[in-house]
Amino acid sequence: GSIMECRGHSSNINSCLFLCPSLSSNKDTLNENVLVSCSNDSTVKIWKQDTGDCIISEYISGAGPISDLASPSSSLIACSSFQKVVHIWGLQTTLNNKHMLYLRAKY
């Protein structure tokens, strides 16, 4: 296999994780393999695993460096910051096959 680089963060990357499509019949959930990354540049980025293209880049205003990621499913992502905040994001695929990240909770 070949090595792929996903370029786009403007600072150090602190964490990444792989998400696979859900086996559920819910059409709103993720429908392809993606890589999620977070960085000191206050962004969470989502990349297509097959092409390396960035499909979502979410700047989290006021969060400071994003330090870690976790995901219990293909439709939820938690990220923590050095500002002592955890953001819970929902990830879904729209009817026109676009991916969307939306804030569900902030602790």
XYZ file of all heavy atoms in Angstrom:
811
model
N 0.808 -1.184 0.000
C 0.000 0.000 0.000
C 0.856 1.253 0.000
O 2.031 1.226 0.343
N 0.260 2.316 -0.408
C 0.960 3.589 -0.461
C 0.729 4.381 0.821
O -0.236 4.169 1.542
C 0.498 4.409 -1.665
O -0.877 4.700 -1.557
N 1.624 5.321 1.070
C 1.503 6.204 2.228
C 0.822 7.481 1.777
O 1.154 8.047 0.743
C 2.895 6.514 2.826
C 3.519 5.224 3.365
C 2.784 7.557 3.920
C 4.939 5.397 3.854
N -0.154 7.928 2.552
C -0.884 9.134 2.210
C -0.645 10.197 3.274
O -0.594 9.884 4.462
C -2.377 8.827 2.132
C -3.216 9.978 1.657
S -4.956 9.543 1.505
C -4.890 8.118 0.459
N -0.482 11.428 2.848
C -0.351 12.546 3.774
C -1.594 13.409 3.688
O -2.080 13.693 2.602
C 0.860 13.405 3.416
C 2.173 12.762 3.742
C 3.343 13.706 3.521
O 3.122 14.918 3.334
O 4.473 13.222 3.533
N -2.090 13.796 4.837
C -3.209 14.739 4.920
C -2.626 16.046 5.437
O -2.213 16.122 6.583
C -4.279 14.212 5.865
S -4.978 12.636 5.373
N -2.579 17.048 4.588
C -1.980 18.328 4.965
C -3.042 19.404 5.062
O -3.919 19.488 4.214
C -0.939 18.751 3.933
C 0.263 17.845 3.913
C 1.275 18.328 2.893
N 2.463 17.508 2.925
C 3.571 17.835 3.553
N 3.652 18.971 4.196
N 4.603 17.039 3.541
N -2.942 20.240 6.109
C -3.893 21.322 6.231
C -3.861 22.024 7.572
O -4.282 23.162 7.671
N -3.392 21.347 8.616
C -3.268 22.014 9.905
C -2.110 23.004 9.847
O -1.103 22.766 9.190
C -3.022 21.005 11.024
C -4.236 20.244 11.437
N -5.284 20.822 12.111
C -4.571 18.937 11.271
C -6.198 19.910 12.342
N -5.795 18.757 11.843
N -2.248 24.114 10.566
C -1.190 25.129 10.570
C -0.301 25.044 11.813
O 0.586 25.867 11.990
C -1.805 26.527 10.463
O -2.637 26.781 11.576
N -0.548 24.040 12.661
C 0.257 23.856 13.859
C 0.325 22.367 14.180
O -0.221 21.538 13.447
C -0.354 24.643 15.022
O 0.527 24.681 16.122
N 0.983 22.021 15.289
C 1.151 20.624 15.679
C -0.174 19.894 15.771
O -1.147 20.424 16.302
C 1.854 20.519 17.035
C 3.258 21.043 17.006
O 3.846 21.214 15.952
N 3.791 21.321 18.177
N -0.184 18.642 15.306
C -1.353 17.772 15.447
C -1.195 17.005 16.748
O -0.146 16.412 17.012
C -1.468 16.820 14.247
C -1.711 17.641 12.985
C -2.565 15.791 14.478
C -1.604 16.854 11.711
N -2.238 17.018 17.567
C -2.166 16.393 18.888
C -2.810 15.020 18.963
O -2.446 14.214 19.818
C -2.801 17.312 19.929
C -2.017 18.595 20.076
O -0.797 18.585 20.099
N -2.713 19.713 20.143
N -3.780 14.758 18.100
C -4.464 13.482 18.153
C -5.145 13.212 16.829
O -5.480 14.141 16.087
C -5.507 13.496 19.284
O -6.133 12.238 19.412
N -5.354 11.940 16.533
C -6.157 11.565 15.374
C -6.828 10.226 15.674
O -6.388 9.478 16.544
C -5.325 11.503 14.109
S -3.996 10.316 14.128
N -7.908 9.977 14.963
C -8.600 8.708 15.113
C -9.306 8.367 13.817
O -9.631 9.237 13.016
C -9.562 8.721 16.299
C -10.700 9.730 16.358
C -11.941 9.192 15.672
C -11.023 10.020 17.801
N -9.522 7.070 13.615
C -10.227 6.580 12.439
C -11.684 6.348 12.799
O -11.997 5.825 13.870
C -9.621 5.263 11.956
C -8.243 5.419 11.392
C -7.126 5.169 12.163
C -8.065 5.821 10.079
C -5.851 5.304 11.648
C -6.798 5.971 9.545
C -5.691 5.712 10.332
N -12.583 6.740 11.890
C -14.010 6.456 12.040
C -14.462 5.664 10.829
O -14.122 5.996 9.691
C -14.835 7.737 12.122
C -14.685 8.609 13.351
C -15.636 9.806 13.251
C -14.989 7.829 14.617
N -15.242 4.627 11.077
C -15.792 3.791 10.014
C -17.296 4.000 9.939
O -17.919 4.364 10.931
C -15.480 2.330 10.289
S -13.715 2.000 10.337
N -17.892 3.748 8.784
C -19.344 3.940 8.652
C -20.125 3.087 9.639
O -19.705 1.993 10.009
C -19.637 3.502 7.223
C -18.341 3.541 6.513
C -17.288 3.287 7.546
N -21.267 3.603 10.014
C -22.167 2.884 10.907
C -22.846 1.751 10.142
O -23.106 1.864 8.944
C -23.220 3.851 11.445
O -24.208 3.155 12.137
N -23.142 0.673 10.837
C -23.879 -0.426 10.228
C -25.382 -0.224 10.327
O -26.159 -1.018 9.822
C -23.492 -1.752 10.894
C -22.025 -2.150 10.743
C -21.746 -3.432 11.500
C -21.652 -2.298 9.279
N -25.805 0.866 10.957
C -27.233 1.119 11.119
C -27.841 1.565 9.802
O -27.155 1.950 8.861
C -27.479 2.190 12.182
O -27.190 3.465 11.659
N -29.138 1.529 9.739
C -29.848 1.943 8.529
C -30.136 3.444 8.526
O -30.760 3.949 7.606
C -31.154 1.162 8.399
O -31.967 1.408 9.534
N -29.668 4.150 9.547
C -29.882 5.593 9.623
C -29.088 6.283 8.523
O -27.863 6.254 8.502
C -29.441 6.103 11.002
C -29.712 7.568 11.193
O -30.053 8.286 10.254
N -29.561 8.028 12.415
N -29.778 6.909 7.600
C -29.131 7.522 6.439
C -28.349 8.784 6.798
O -27.569 9.275 5.999
C -30.174 7.836 5.378
C -30.774 6.597 4.763
C -31.733 6.977 3.664
C -32.128 5.801 2.838
N -33.098 4.945 3.193
N -28.565 9.343 7.993
C -27.866 10.568 8.384
C -26.447 10.313 8.874
O -25.676 11.235 9.021
C -28.627 11.285 9.504
C -29.909 11.910 9.012
O -30.037 12.108 7.796
O -30.769 12.201 9.851
N -26.096 9.075 9.152
C -24.786 8.802 9.735
C -23.701 8.747 8.661
O -23.979 8.715 7.466
C -24.794 7.480 10.522
O -25.128 6.417 9.633
C -25.776 7.516 11.670
N -22.483 8.713 9.109
C -21.308 8.682 8.241
C -21.400 7.530 7.249
O -21.764 6.419 7.611
C -20.074 8.522 9.134
C -18.714 8.603 8.499
C -18.493 10.017 7.960
C -17.654 8.257 9.508
N -21.054 7.791 5.988
C -21.171 6.743 4.972
C -19.840 6.352 4.330
O -19.834 5.703 3.301
C -22.177 7.167 3.896
C -21.728 8.399 3.137
O -20.670 8.941 3.399
N -22.542 8.842 2.207
N -18.720 6.754 4.921
C -17.410 6.379 4.388
C -16.365 6.430 5.502
O -16.587 7.015 6.549
C -17.009 7.277 3.234
C -16.837 8.725 3.607
C -16.607 9.607 2.393
O -15.770 9.246 1.540
O -17.260 10.647 2.302
N -15.229 5.794 5.268
C -14.134 5.804 6.238
C -13.468 7.171 6.247
O -13.124 7.706 5.195
C -13.095 4.748 5.886
C -13.623 3.346 6.034
O -14.447 3.073 6.887
N -13.144 2.446 5.210
N -13.277 7.720 7.444
C -12.628 9.018 7.578
C -11.587 8.979 8.691
O -11.604 8.098 9.548
C -13.641 10.164 7.855
C -14.596 10.344 6.695
C -14.374 9.966 9.160
N -10.701 9.958 8.650
C -9.717 10.197 9.692
C -10.053 11.547 10.306
O -10.347 12.501 9.581
C -8.313 10.233 9.084
C -7.161 10.643 9.998
C -6.901 9.548 11.033
C -5.908 10.898 9.177
N -10.060 11.635 11.624
C -10.324 12.894 12.329
C -9.030 13.315 13.008
O -8.349 12.489 13.622
C -11.441 12.720 13.379
C -11.771 14.050 14.034
C -12.683 12.102 12.762
N -8.683 14.592 12.903
C -7.470 15.092 13.552
C -7.777 16.390 14.289
O -8.720 17.103 13.956
C -6.356 15.325 12.522
O -6.756 16.269 11.555
N -6.956 16.673 15.309
C -7.088 17.933 16.039
C -5.697 18.513 16.247
O -4.702 17.791 16.226
C -7.818 17.752 17.363
S -6.936 16.772 18.589
N -5.654 19.828 16.462
C -4.365 20.504 16.427
C -4.301 21.686 17.383
O -5.322 22.170 17.885
C -4.132 20.987 14.988
O -3.041 21.851 14.884
N -3.080 22.176 17.575
C -2.870 23.411 18.322
C -3.456 24.622 17.601
O -3.560 25.690 18.187
C -1.368 23.644 18.542
C -0.798 22.759 19.624
O -1.521 22.080 20.344
N 0.515 22.743 19.730
N -3.828 24.468 16.326
C -4.413 25.578 15.576
C -5.908 25.769 15.855
O -6.588 26.506 15.159
C -4.159 25.430 14.073
C -4.820 24.208 13.452
O -5.616 23.518 14.126
O -4.528 23.927 12.268
N -6.423 25.089 16.886
C -7.830 25.189 17.322
C -8.813 24.621 16.313
O -9.971 25.020 16.270
C -8.218 26.640 17.634
O -7.390 27.172 18.633
N -8.360 23.665 15.491
C -9.273 23.062 14.530
C -9.385 21.562 14.731
O -8.469 20.895 15.214
C -8.841 23.309 13.068
O -7.582 22.679 12.843
C -8.781 24.777 12.732
N -10.553 21.065 14.333
C -10.798 19.641 14.146
C -11.028 19.479 12.655
O -11.825 20.199 12.062
C -12.029 19.168 14.939
C -12.386 17.732 14.591
C -11.790 19.306 16.440
N -10.300 18.562 12.043
C -10.429 18.331 10.605
C -10.829 16.884 10.359
O -10.395 15.981 11.083
C -9.130 18.647 9.868
C -8.780 20.135 9.907
C -7.566 20.434 9.046
C -7.175 21.901 9.110
N -8.074 22.794 8.420
N -11.635 16.685 9.330
C -12.064 15.346 8.939
C -11.618 15.130 7.502
O -11.854 15.957 6.622
C -13.580 15.181 9.111
C -13.934 15.411 10.586
C -14.018 13.793 8.636
C -15.381 15.294 10.925
N -10.959 13.993 7.305
C -10.317 13.668 6.030
C -10.879 12.368 5.472
O -11.112 11.423 6.220
C -8.823 13.466 6.235
C -8.141 14.479 7.093
C -8.121 14.511 8.471
C -7.404 15.612 6.655
N -7.398 15.597 8.899
C -6.938 16.293 7.805
C -7.065 16.118 5.400
C -6.167 17.436 7.742
C -6.291 17.266 5.338
C -5.855 17.911 6.483
N -11.059 12.315 4.170
C -11.429 11.060 3.512
C -10.222 10.134 3.550
O -9.117 10.533 3.173
C -11.816 11.293 2.057
C -13.157 11.899 1.862
C -13.454 11.940 0.376
C -14.917 12.206 0.156
N -15.266 12.049 -1.265
N -10.420 8.896 4.010
C -9.302 7.962 4.087
C -8.818 7.521 2.718
O -7.636 7.268 2.532
C -9.683 6.731 4.911
C -9.707 6.983 6.391
C -9.971 5.716 7.172
O -9.470 4.658 6.838
N -10.760 5.834 8.230
N -9.712 7.447 1.746
C -9.299 6.935 0.438
C -8.559 7.961 -0.415
O -7.758 7.598 -1.268
C -10.488 6.354 -0.328
C -11.608 7.357 -0.559
O -11.602 8.441 0.054
O -12.494 7.050 -1.378
N -8.783 9.262 -0.172
C -8.141 10.294 -1.002
C -7.241 11.241 -0.218
O -6.410 11.918 -0.807
C -9.207 11.153 -1.705
O -9.949 11.876 -0.714
C -10.126 10.304 -2.570
N -7.443 11.359 1.090
C -6.707 12.321 1.899
C -7.274 13.725 1.830
O -6.720 14.654 2.413
N -8.400 13.901 1.144
C -9.034 15.218 1.035
C -9.670 15.629 2.353
O -10.322 14.813 3.014
C -10.122 15.218 -0.037
C -9.574 15.016 -1.440
O -8.388 15.323 -1.665
O -10.336 14.540 -2.298
N -9.499 16.895 2.732
C -10.161 17.430 3.917
C -11.598 17.764 3.544
O -11.847 18.562 2.638
C -9.428 18.677 4.408
S -10.156 19.370 5.911
N -12.555 17.137 4.228
C -13.969 17.372 3.909
C -14.653 18.269 4.935
O -15.705 18.820 4.649
C -14.744 16.047 3.725
C -14.616 15.148 4.953
C -14.263 15.328 2.478
C -15.443 13.880 4.888
N -14.058 18.408 6.111
C -14.578 19.323 7.132
C -13.388 19.925 7.869
O -12.455 19.214 8.243
C -15.499 18.620 8.148
C -16.765 18.093 7.481
C -15.862 19.553 9.301
C -17.672 17.300 8.405
N -13.440 21.224 8.079
C -12.464 21.902 8.925
C -13.242 22.821 9.850
O -13.875 23.772 9.396
C -11.474 22.710 8.086
O -10.535 23.336 8.926
N -13.238 22.507 11.127
C -14.021 23.261 12.114
C -13.075 24.007 13.045
O -12.342 23.392 13.816
C -14.903 22.310 12.913
C -15.851 22.981 13.845
C -16.981 23.713 13.140
O -17.484 23.211 12.116
O -17.372 24.781 13.630
N -13.070 25.335 12.951
C -12.302 26.165 13.864
C -13.148 26.375 15.116
O -14.301 26.790 15.029
C -11.966 27.512 13.219
C -11.267 28.459 14.161
C -9.929 28.279 14.485
C -11.958 29.510 14.752
C -9.287 29.140 15.353
C -11.319 30.383 15.622
C -9.993 30.191 15.923
O -9.361 31.035 16.797
N -12.593 26.078 16.278
C -13.331 26.198 17.533
C -12.853 27.462 18.236
O -11.833 27.474 18.923
C -13.145 24.943 18.411
C -13.527 23.695 17.605
C -13.986 25.058 19.674
C -13.246 22.404 18.305
N -13.580 28.521 18.039
C -13.221 29.836 18.557
C -13.116 29.822 20.076
O -14.006 29.319 20.767
C -14.268 30.858 18.114
O -13.939 32.137 18.583
N -12.013 30.344 20.589
C -11.816 30.450 22.026
C -11.365 29.178 22.704
O -11.122 29.173 23.913
N -11.240 28.091 21.963
C -10.881 26.810 22.576
C -9.398 26.690 22.858
O -8.990 25.917 23.717
C -11.327 25.651 21.688
N -8.584 27.435 22.142
C -7.147 27.238 22.267
C -6.767 25.932 21.602
O -7.528 25.377 20.814
N -5.581 25.404 21.895
C -5.166 24.147 21.286
C -6.140 23.011 21.611
O -6.575 22.872 22.753
C -3.802 23.875 21.913
C -3.306 25.220 22.333
C -4.538 25.980 22.744
N -6.479 22.229 20.611
C -7.322 21.045 20.812
C -6.381 19.891 21.120
O -5.491 19.578 20.329
C -8.183 20.739 19.572
C -8.960 21.988 19.127
C -9.123 19.570 19.846
C -9.905 22.544 20.150
N -6.570 19.276 22.278
C -5.563 18.345 22.782
C -5.839 16.875 22.507
O -4.901 16.086 22.391
C -5.377 18.538 24.283
O -6.612 18.398 24.954
N -7.103 16.471 22.397
C -7.378 15.043 22.247
C -8.741 14.828 21.617
O -9.597 15.720 21.626
C -7.312 14.349 23.608
C -6.984 12.867 23.507
O -6.768 12.364 22.382
O -6.940 12.206 24.550
N -8.937 13.611 21.081
C -10.196 13.208 20.448
C -10.628 11.857 20.993
O -9.792 11.029 21.358
C -10.004 13.040 18.931
C -9.627 14.255 18.122
C -9.169 13.823 16.731
C -10.817 15.194 18.015
N -11.928 11.634 21.005
C -12.485 10.325 21.336
C -13.791 10.185 20.583
O -14.440 11.182 20.249
C -12.721 10.184 22.840
N -14.187 8.938 20.314
C -15.441 8.718 19.610
C -16.044 7.378 20.008
O -15.409 6.343 19.812
C -15.214 8.746 18.100
O -16.420 8.508 17.422
N -17.272 7.393 20.528
C -17.931 6.139 20.865
C -18.666 5.527 19.670
O -19.105 4.389 19.726
C -18.931 6.550 21.946
C -19.300 7.946 21.549
C -18.040 8.549 20.977
N -18.819 6.306 18.590
C -19.556 5.827 17.414
C -19.140 6.639 16.199
O -18.388 7.605 16.311
C -21.066 5.980 17.637
O -21.423 7.352 17.608
N -19.667 6.280 15.043
C -19.308 7.001 13.819
C -20.045 8.325 13.683
O -19.809 9.075 12.748
C -19.597 6.134 12.593
O -20.977 5.873 12.491
N -20.917 8.647 14.632
C -21.674 9.891 14.527
C -21.396 10.878 15.661
O -21.981 11.950 15.687
C -23.172 9.593 14.469
O -23.594 8.936 15.642
N -20.496 10.535 16.596
C -20.146 11.435 17.698
C -18.635 11.552 17.846
O -17.920 10.560 17.756
C -20.711 10.928 19.029
C -22.194 11.070 19.273
C -22.563 10.399 20.585
C -22.599 12.526 19.295
N -18.170 12.784 18.059
C -16.759 13.035 18.302
C -16.648 13.962 19.507
O -17.337 14.979 19.569
C -16.092 13.723 17.091
C -16.204 12.848 15.837
C -14.632 14.046 17.386
C -15.873 13.580 14.570
N -15.803 13.598 20.451
C -15.516 14.472 21.589
C -14.100 15.005 21.417
O -13.190 14.267 21.030
C -15.621 13.705 22.899
N -13.925 16.291 21.664
C -12.577 16.854 21.636
C -12.378 17.694 22.885
O -13.296 18.344 23.373
C -12.314 17.654 20.366
S -13.300 19.131 20.152
N -11.168 17.644 23.405
C -10.840 18.413 24.606
C -9.811 19.470 24.247
O -9.053 19.324 23.291
C -10.312 17.500 25.702
O -9.157 16.810 25.255
N -9.804 20.533 25.048
C -8.872 21.621 24.775
C -8.075 21.960 26.022
O -8.427 21.560 27.132
C -9.624 22.862 24.287
O -10.253 23.513 25.374
N -7.006 22.716 25.828
C -6.202 23.171 26.950
C -6.921 24.252 27.748
O -6.437 24.685 28.781
C -4.839 23.682 26.456
C -3.921 22.579 26.018
C -3.518 22.485 24.690
C -3.461 21.639 26.907
C -2.668 21.462 24.281
C -2.615 20.618 26.513
C -2.223 20.539 25.185
N -8.079 24.695 27.291
C -8.892 25.669 28.024
C -9.883 24.973 28.961
O -10.849 25.574 29.409
C -9.638 26.577 27.036
C -8.729 27.404 26.161
C -7.886 28.382 26.956
O -8.323 28.913 27.961
N -6.673 28.611 26.515
N -9.670 23.679 29.218
C -10.487 22.885 30.149
C -11.928 22.750 29.694
O -12.864 22.778 30.491
C -10.430 23.475 31.560
C -9.026 23.597 32.105
C -9.030 24.276 33.450
C -7.618 24.546 33.899
N -7.549 25.394 35.062
N -12.122 22.597 28.383
C -13.455 22.448 27.808
C -13.483 21.182 26.950
O -12.521 20.879 26.255
C -13.827 23.675 26.940
C -15.176 23.488 26.269
C -13.819 24.938 27.772
N -14.609 20.464 27.019
C -14.857 19.324 26.136
C -16.033 19.687 25.239
O -17.082 20.128 25.725
C -15.171 18.039 26.938
C -15.566 16.912 25.996
C -13.987 17.645 27.798
N -15.840 19.531 23.937
C -16.899 19.757 22.957
C -17.350 18.396 22.434
O -16.512 17.553 22.106
C -16.392 20.578 21.771
C -16.032 21.983 22.110
N -14.809 22.325 22.656
C -16.727 23.128 21.982
C -14.772 23.639 22.835
N -15.921 24.144 22.440
N -18.649 18.198 22.352
C -19.219 16.985 21.767
C -19.840 17.379 20.433
O -20.737 18.228 20.386
C -20.292 16.342 22.669
C -19.772 16.139 24.096
C -20.795 15.037 22.045
C -18.638 15.164 24.227
N -19.359 16.761 19.367
C -19.807 17.082 18.014
C -20.591 15.918 17.429
O -20.230 14.765 17.625
C -18.604 17.362 17.105
C -17.799 18.530 17.542
C -16.711 18.520 18.375
C -18.011 19.894 17.203
N -16.243 19.787 18.565
C -17.018 20.656 17.840
C -18.950 20.555 16.406
C -16.934 22.038 17.717
C -18.856 21.923 16.279
C -17.865 22.654 16.927
N -21.636 16.241 16.704
C -22.355 15.254 15.918
C -21.834 15.313 14.497
O -21.541 16.386 13.975
N -21.694 14.166 13.871
C -21.244 14.083 12.492
C -22.317 13.372 11.697
O -22.750 12.285 12.068
C -19.922 13.315 12.420
C -19.340 13.039 11.042
C -19.020 14.344 10.317
C -18.088 12.180 11.164
N -22.759 14.013 10.624
C -23.769 13.367 9.808
C -23.522 13.638 8.333
O -22.772 14.546 7.966
C -25.174 13.794 10.209
C -25.532 15.221 9.891
C -26.925 15.573 10.366
O -27.058 16.405 11.236
N -27.931 14.960 9.824
N -24.158 12.825 7.509
C -24.107 12.986 6.065
C -25.474 13.492 5.615
O -26.496 12.928 5.975
C -23.782 11.649 5.380
O -22.546 11.165 5.902
C -23.660 11.816 3.878
N -25.487 14.576 4.849
C -26.741 15.169 4.385
C -27.269 14.427 3.156
O -26.593 13.557 2.600
C -26.548 16.659 4.048
O -25.615 16.756 2.975
C -26.034 17.435 5.252
N -28.470 14.807 2.720
C -29.092 14.151 1.569
C -28.255 14.283 0.301
O -28.269 13.399 -0.546
C -30.490 14.724 1.326
C -31.535 14.369 2.381
C -32.841 15.095 2.099
C -31.766 12.868 2.428
N -27.532 15.396 0.142
C -26.696 15.561 -1.048
C -25.276 15.033 -0.829
O -24.348 15.429 -1.516
C -26.685 17.020 -1.518
C -26.190 17.969 -0.449
O -25.924 17.568 0.680
N -26.068 19.232 -0.801
N -25.127 14.119 0.148
C -23.880 13.408 0.425
C -22.750 14.306 0.927
O -21.582 14.002 0.754
C -23.427 12.608 -0.795
C -22.737 11.325 -0.385
O -23.021 10.759 0.662
N -21.822 10.865 -1.210
N -23.097 15.419 1.553
C -22.108 16.287 2.191
C -22.028 15.920 3.666
O -23.019 15.526 4.276
C -22.512 17.765 2.064
C -22.607 18.251 0.651
C -21.244 18.547 0.105
C -21.381 19.163 -1.272
N -20.129 19.300 -1.931
N -20.843 16.088 4.243
C -20.666 15.799 5.664
C -20.798 17.086 6.454
O -20.382 18.149 6.016
C -19.307 15.158 5.913
C -19.141 13.867 5.191
N -19.912 12.767 5.449
C -18.301 13.509 4.196
C -19.561 11.780 4.663
N -18.587 12.213 3.878
N -21.391 16.980 7.630
C -21.641 18.139 8.467
C -21.260 17.825 9.905
O -21.546 16.738 10.408
C -23.127 18.497 8.380
C -23.499 19.766 9.097
S -25.243 20.161 8.848
C -25.962 19.170 10.138
N -20.606 18.756 10.553
C -20.247 18.646 11.961
C -21.050 19.703 12.713
O -21.065 20.858 12.317
C -18.746 18.915 12.113
C -18.010 18.435 13.355
C -18.114 16.926 13.500
C -16.565 18.847 13.297
N -21.751 19.307 13.764
C -22.549 20.269 14.527
C -22.326 20.042 16.012
O -22.164 18.927 16.477
C -24.033 20.168 14.158
C -24.652 18.819 14.435
C -25.336 18.579 15.619
C -24.531 17.777 13.509
C -25.889 17.342 15.892
C -25.090 16.539 13.774
C -25.756 16.329 14.962
O -26.298 15.087 15.229
N -22.283 21.153 16.756
C -22.037 21.109 18.200
C -23.258 20.560 18.921
O -24.356 21.095 18.781
C -21.682 22.496 18.716
C -21.241 22.589 20.173
C -19.963 21.776 20.409
C -21.025 24.031 20.572
N -23.078 19.500 19.705
C -24.172 18.919 20.485
C -24.116 19.326 21.943
O -25.142 19.450 22.590
C -24.128 17.392 20.369
C -24.452 16.939 18.943
C -24.669 15.488 18.855
N -25.617 15.036 19.863
C -26.204 13.858 19.843
N -25.965 13.030 18.876
N -27.019 13.509 20.815
N -22.899 19.488 22.473
C -22.764 19.866 23.890
C -21.378 20.439 24.120
O -20.447 20.190 23.370
C -22.976 18.634 24.778
N -21.282 21.219 25.208
C -20.007 21.814 25.604
C -19.928 21.746 27.127
O -20.840 22.199 27.816
C -19.962 23.265 25.111
C -18.686 23.986 25.353
C -18.783 25.373 24.724
C -17.609 26.233 25.073
N -17.714 27.575 24.480
N -18.863 21.146 27.655
C -18.711 20.992 29.089
C -17.450 21.667 29.577
O -16.450 21.646 28.940
C -18.641 19.508 29.468
C -19.844 18.722 29.034
C -19.814 17.957 27.873
C -21.014 18.753 29.779
C -20.918 17.220 27.475
C -22.120 18.016 29.389
C -22.056 17.262 28.240
O -23.153 16.542 27.846
